[in-house]
Amino acid sequence: MAFDGQALNCIFDWWFYHGNPKTSIWLDYDGELFFYDSDRTERVARVMRLGDGPCFLDYDAKNSPFTAVEHCQIAKFVRINNAKFNN
């Protein structure tokens, strides 16, 4: 798995209760975590890993669609995964 399961559950739970309802969060079969607009027509960002390298947040939208609190939660998720998989 590309991500730590416990960290993945935490971000899904947090997003369900506290995240912007206009932004959906999805995990695809290739192990990337996607953020879509409310219509699920446009991807706005994704957390991905290239090979065995570190995770990073990649924006597909011109401007960050996330609030400061949402961005902190995504950064926390990325840090946890990078700490676990990049010792």
Side-chain angles (χ1 to χ4, degrees):
M1 176 178 258
F3 299 119
D4 176 68
Q6 185 175 3
L8 199 55
N9 286 338
C10 287
I11 196 165
F12 273 109
D13 288 347
W14 186 91
W15 205 271
F16 181 79
Y17 291 106
H18 306 290
N20 183 348
K22 294 181 180 178
T23 305
S24 301
I25 184 171
W26 293 88
L27 180 66
D28 79 348
Y29 291 109
D30 292 329
E32 292 183 10
L33 188 65
F34 290 107
F35 296 88
Y36 287 94
D37 65 2
S38 59
D39 301 334
R40 282 189 258 161
T41 55
E42 297 232 4
R43 188 175 66 208
V44 295
R46 61 186 163 169
V47 176
M48 59 185 293
R49 164 181 269 113
L50 295 177
D52 292 332
C55 290
F56 60 92
L57 176 61
D58 183 36
Y59 292 105
D60 294 311
K62 281 187 173 183
N63 299 313
S64 172
F66 305 116
T67 65
V69 175
E70 290 170 341
H71 195 272
C72 285
Q73 288 297 317
I74 295 168
K76 179 180 171 184
F77 173 75
V78 168
R79 279 193 310 272
I80 289 169
N81 281 285
N82 286 339
K84 179 171 182 173
F85 293 108
N86 296 313
N87 294 328

